[in-house]
Amino acid sequence: MNANKTVKRTFPVLQMGCAACAARIESTVRKQSGVVNASVNYATATATVEYQPDIISPQDMRDAVRDAGYDMLADEDEEEDSVEASEKIRRKNLDALKYNLLWAAILSLPVLIISMFFMDMPYAAEIMCTLSVPVIFLWGRKFYISAWKQAKHHSVNMDTLVALSTGIAWLFSVFNTLFPDFWIKRGVHPHVYFESAAVIVTFILLGRFLEEKAKNRTSSALKKLIGLQPATVMTVSREEGKIVHTQIPVEKLTVDDTVLARPGEKIAADGVVDEGVSYVDESMLSGEPMPVLKQRGDRVFAGTINQKGSFMYKPEKTGKNTLLALIIRMVRDAQGSRTPVRKSVDRIVKIFVPAVIGIAVLSFAIWMVFGGDQGFTNGLLALVTVLIIACPCALGLATPTAIMVGIGKGAEKGILIKDAESIETARKVNAIVLDKTGTITEGKPAVTDIFWLNGDDSKKTVLSALEKRSEHPLAEAIVHYFGEQTSDSVESFESLTGEGVKGVVGGRIYYSGNYNLILKNNISVDRQLIEEADMFGKQSKTPVWFADGQDAIAVIAIADRIKDTSKAAIRQLQSADMEVYMLTGDSEAVANSIAASLGINHYKSGILPHEKAEFVKHLQTAGKIVAMVGDGINDSAALASADLSIAMGKGSDIAIDAAQMIIVSSDLTKIPEAINLSVRTIGTVRRNLFWAFIYNFIGIPVAAGILYPFNGFLLNPMIAGAAMALSSVSVVSSSLLFGYIRK
């Protein structure tokens, strides 16, 4: 095996309690020999690892993660199995959280009521102690187990804060219940905080439950994509002259099969229509709601939905090789990738928990020194409250949840984003370079105009029949224009190299080709036809002449047609203060004509592939943040050079591999949509981070008692627990709200 060969896989990660856990697991995996790169996403509970399989195996990585106090599933052979495993783990965690929360709430409620209204009743402290034991050590046991594992590995996380705060409060209360005279002799009332410990555990369980439910919704786009894969498929075969229909699992489908697509069914593989006609809903690929007509020779894609008709198709790509499977992999990998701002936040999260513990101990020490008679009690409350209110989870969730929602929304609209960093780059773009052929234009010759002498098109079936015999690319455009209108048979046919074709239909000679062919055969040409042909030439269109043995009958204009959406897209980009450049290897006349019709002020014609890359670098040198949009092999160098690379989905595989974003439908209006999406996504990230930082910046000092000297206010640990729980939920909810808002 090649030592340089790497594999990229995503593994479900277990037992993560907060963003600090994700940072520790990521650091552990990165340190392993043979691991090239690793990214752990707390929001999705997955680790995306690029590694050298001849040096390290998934089992080796799992062992390293277990040594760090966590766990990772590494038995799945296929990435799709990994996704399903992650979903099962999520559902199991959610059910367990719901169960623990329910019982913790049932037992915490009487503890809270006794502490508020019946503290003077006999054995009140003992009853509260008894009721709080299962809340803390049964329903909340995961906090303590996790904290102990971290301690054994000389590490801390969010569970450490919860375990320390509730454990200290509970143990202090037990001591005061068993030995109240210790404090009474010193003139201090022996307070108990069983209700704080129990209610805090309940609130944090509530926060984890709501957070987990919200995180599940952030991955809804990926779940929808996975749900587009049908479980079974109907194949068609012939046995002894009879047509046989067989239902098979989609995993057993091969390229040798013929598949029947019935009304309302999902297409099971990428392939080509072999027989029949129908409309197919391709909105999952393009984001466009209008169904697309499919007939013999047209391509269909896995996950799209057949409408009312039925047809048979031959698979070309099945299973994990389909476009749908590629989209699923891209979306999942992108949702696990990190933006520069998230990398900065991750560094903060790594030191956050130790810093909070330090602040809590310092708060206790200050209260002990300056707090007077109530110094110990208030210091203990401050220590517990600081440990409770601090929330690294809000910081850790701020970026990945927004990125997940943004990438998911992009996938729904037919915009595939390969990595999160490109989202941050896209909003800064101020110059966009567009390849002409296949990006601005359709990328293939098409009939744009046809002028029949005296408006007589009675010979169109003759023209279509003649061009059907030709192998010239322009002939294909004419045949496609007329469709199945021909019923004439060509009695004799001759291809005239460099000029056109000649044939006999119905006993008469006909010609189709360039003007030289018409002149060479002394064919009479009406002035109207000459004027039309000249006009087509000025518009950079190629004129094709059609004539019988004596007179010219028609002139057809053929060009690489501009896409219907190109003009609107370019106008939107320009209105967003972006400089739009067009590059083409075509002639100056063609480039000028297209640029003028689209309102493009900057263009270069006759440009070679390496010159496209040089042009991108020239703009970058001038201080521009450049996006390159292309679809061909000749665009790949420029795509690799650009700050942001965008490929058209119907382009070459090399261009798609080189790009950071892919427009599945090749609709140019998706470019401004993608840039707008990036602006909104990063805006949500920054808003989330602002509130997460502000929460901790204000909450921790208040919890330490900074307001006490001024107004006697000391934060109740129960309120701190509720605030901590809601902070993470609010960040995730903000990301979800961004996903629901349509702009």
Side-chain angles (χ1 to χ4, degrees), residues 622-651:
K624 303 288 185 185
I625 306 297
V626 183
M628 173 70 198
V629 186
D631 76 316
I633 295 172
N634 61 341
D635 300 318
S636 55
L639 287 167
S641 301
D643 298 291
L644 177 68
S645 49
I646 304 173
M648 292 291 146
K650 294 179 182 176

Side-chain angles (χ1 to χ4, degrees), residues 282 322 324 330-331 341 434 437 461 490 524 561 591 641 689 691:
E282 293 189 339
T322 63
L324 175 61
M330 283 184 177
V331 171
V341 68
L434 305 172
T437 306
T461 56
V490 180
S524 174
R561 198 168 65 84
S641 301
L689 286 173
W691 288 114

Side-chain angles (χ1 to χ4, degrees), residues 156-157 160-161 164 352-362 383 386-387:
V156 290
N157 65 2
T160 306
L161 300 183
L164 279 175
F352 185 90
V353 175
V356 168
I357 293 173
I359 293 170
V361 172
L362 181 63
L383 181 145
V386 168
L387 292 174

Side-chain angles (χ1 to χ4, degrees), residues 48 109 272 378 394 459 503 589 610 612 640 656 660 689 717:
T48 301
L109 185 60
V272 176
N378 288 346
K459 300 296 183 184
H610 71 278
K612 290 184 180 181
I656 289 171
Q660 295 164 294
L689 286 173

Side-chain angles (χ1 to χ4, degrees), residues 55-251:
I55 297 176
I56 188 169
S57 69
Q59 286 70 29
D60 296 330
M61 288 183 272
R62 180 192 59 194
D63 293 342
V65 171
R66 283 180 172 175
D67 288 341
Y70 304 93
D71 203 356
M72 182 175 89
L73 296 186
D75 298 328
E76 287 74 25
D77 295 325
E78 298 293 335
E79 290 179 306
E80 286 76 8
D81 294 336
S82 221
V83 173
E84 290 177 11
S86 295
E87 288 304 310
K88 287 178 183 176
I89 292 165
R90 279 180 177 277
R91 287 193 293 269
K92 187 176 179 181
N93 285 345
L94 199 59
D95 290 342
L97 277 169
K98 187 176 181 180
Y99 178 81
N100 291 345
L101 170 62
L102 179 65
W103 281 105
I106 289 171
L107 292 183
S108 295
L109 185 60
V111 176
L112 182 61
I113 292 171
I114 291 170
S115 70
M116 293 177 69
F117 305 109
F118 303 105
M119 272 303 295
D120 296 329
M121 66 181 277
Y123 303 107
E126 287 79 359
I127 293 170
M128 289 192 294
C129 177
T130 303
L131 290 173
S132 66
V133 168
V135 174
I136 294 171
F137 300 110
L138 183 59
W139 318 127
R141 67 187 182 281
K142 287 188 72 173
F143 301 125
Y144 298 91
I145 293 170
S146 174
W148 174 246
K149 285 182 178 179
Q150 295 306 307
K152 286 197 298 183
H153 293 90
H154 310 291
S155 181
V156 290
N157 65 2
M158 185 67 199
D159 291 336
T160 306
L161 300 183
V162 176
L164 279 175
S165 58
T166 55
I168 290 170
W170 190 83
L171 289 172
F172 179 67
S173 300
V174 169
F175 180 85
N176 288 359
T177 301
L178 297 176
F179 309 104
D181 291 342
F182 178 84
W183 296 109
I184 293 171
K185 288 178 183 179
R186 290 164 175 76
V188 178
H189 182 74
H191 293 285
V192 293
Y193 301 100
F194 292 117
E195 82 286 354
S196 292
V199 173
I200 286 164
V201 167
T202 303
F203 271 137
I204 293 173
L205 284 172
L206 174 63
R208 291 276 173 94
F209 175 73
L210 294 175
E211 179 186 307
E212 196 66 26
K213 282 194 76 172
K215 285 195 295 183
N216 277 347
R217 289 200 294 274
T218 62
S219 59
S220 61
L222 187 57
K223 293 176 191 173
K224 287 178 187 174
L225 288 171
I226 294 169
L228 290 170
Q229 298 169 309
T232 60
V233 63
M234 182 70 74
T235 61
V236 180
S237 60
R238 289 185 179 274
E239 294 181 11
E240 299 178 358
K242 294 182 179 180
I243 296 177
V244 178
H245 296 84
T246 309
Q247 188 119 348
I248 63 170
V250 71
E251 297 83 13

